[in-house]
Amino acid sequence: MPQPSDDMLTQEGLALDRRAGRILLIACGALAREILDLKTANRWDHMDLTCLPAIYHVTPEKIPAAVREAVTKHRDTYDEIFVVYADCGTGGLLQQECENLGVEMVAGPHCYSFFEGNDRFAEIAEDEFTAFYLTDFLVRQFDAFVWKPMGLDRHPELKDMYFGNYTKLVYQAQTDDPALTEKARVCANRLGLAFERRFTGYGDLATTLAEL
């Protein structure tokens, strides 16, 4: 009986390693907690999650190349890959990259839109162009992702230049957490803005992942 060749063994190993029927979510690190909560609540055990650095939130030009690298790394292992980013400030480049790679991504201009619900956000956007949005993640990480990257920890006098045209801070709450609400209110006070809390839950993120 002929012995299996090295090529046959390699192919068999790849077949065994491939995660049949599984979906890989390549997501912004800022969405990790929300995605894991949704996975647990809905028993989406067929989904695996890998996250790119959340700090790309302030350097969106890095997102398309990072997504391309992640898809290339994992595509031979999963039956399907889904990118859990909206445009997120890439100016359409992420959408083009996903089309080139043959993978789908979350619809919408940014996470504030899909948490609100893209249709709803489109309706209110014109009336809220002077609103500054925070999510649960950004409330928790306000200093690391807003205050310090803008240099306000070193030059607080820049606050009026950055936020002088804003009128309110809208906290889009994914969870009902009084402590986070209070922290969001403090963030609004630090920026000199009126405060509004809006419970959005997971919005289109939940319905989009449910379709997978």
Side-chain angles (χ1 to χ4, degrees):
M1 181 175 179
Q3 295 297 311
S5 67
D6 289 343
D7 285 345
M8 291 171 63
L9 289 172
T10 300
Q11 291 171 5
E12 181 181 1
L14 286 173
L16 290 173
D17 287 341
R18 184 175 182 84
R19 302 179 186 184
R22 300 197 66 79
I23 298 171
L24 178 66
L25 307 176
I26 298 175
C28 172
L31 300 175
R33 182 183 298 229
E34 287 73 24
I35 293 171
L36 291 174
D37 286 347
L38 285 167
K39 272 172 47 65
T40 300
N42 294 282
R43 298 182 180 179
W44 291 335
D45 298 328
H46 62 296
M47 296 181 182
D48 293 332
L49 173 66
T50 187
C51 288
L52 301 180
I55 198 62
Y56 290 172
H57 177 83
V58 296
T59 55
E61 68 276 6
K62 296 180 180 180
I63 296 174
V67 167
R68 179 175 67 249
E69 182 178 352
V71 170
T72 302
K73 177 180 179 181
H74 295 288
R75 75 183 322 157
D76 290 336
T77 309
Y78 286 86
D79 282 350
E80 185 177 351
I81 292 177
F82 188 80
V83 176
V84 193
Y85 277 91
D87 182 73
C88 297
T90 69
L93 294 179
L94 181 58
Q95 178 69 57
Q96 184 62 56
E97 190 66 63
C98 287
E99 290 176 1
N100 293 341
L101 292 165
V103 297
E104 294 186 28
M105 59 182 280
V106 176
H110 39 61
C111 62
Y112 313 121
S113 178
F114 67 65
F115 276 137
E116 187 80 42
N118 285 320
D119 291 341
R120 170 62 179 163
F121 192 86
E123 291 175 1
I124 65 176
E126 190 169 336
D127 295 328
E128 290 200 340
F129 62 89
T130 60
F132 183 73
Y133 295 93
L134 294 180
T135 62
D136 281 10
F137 176 86
L138 288 174
V139 171
R140 292 188 186 97
Q141 303 293 334
F142 181 78
D143 284 339
F145 283 79
V146 179
W147 200 257
K148 290 181 179 179
M150 290 185 168
L152 294 173
D153 56 326
R154 303 178 302 279
H155 301 286
E157 68 276 7
L158 295 175
K159 182 184 68 175
D160 290 341
M161 183 179 74
Y162 288 144
F163 294 96
N165 292 323
Y166 289 96
T167 59
K168 66 178 178 178
L169 183 150
V170 176
Y171 167 37
Q172 295 178 317
Q174 281 73 69
T175 55
D176 193 8
D177 185 333
L180 275 182
T181 297
E182 184 55 33
K183 187 170 182 180
R185 192 185 306 277
V186 170
C187 293
N189 290 339
R190 290 172 69 183
L191 296 176
L193 301 176
F195 176 68
E196 178 182 340
R197 178 189 184 273
R198 188 180 299 157
F199 182 77
T200 63
Y202 301 108
D204 287 351
L205 178 64
T207 54
T208 298
L209 294 184
E211 291 174 358
L212 299 179

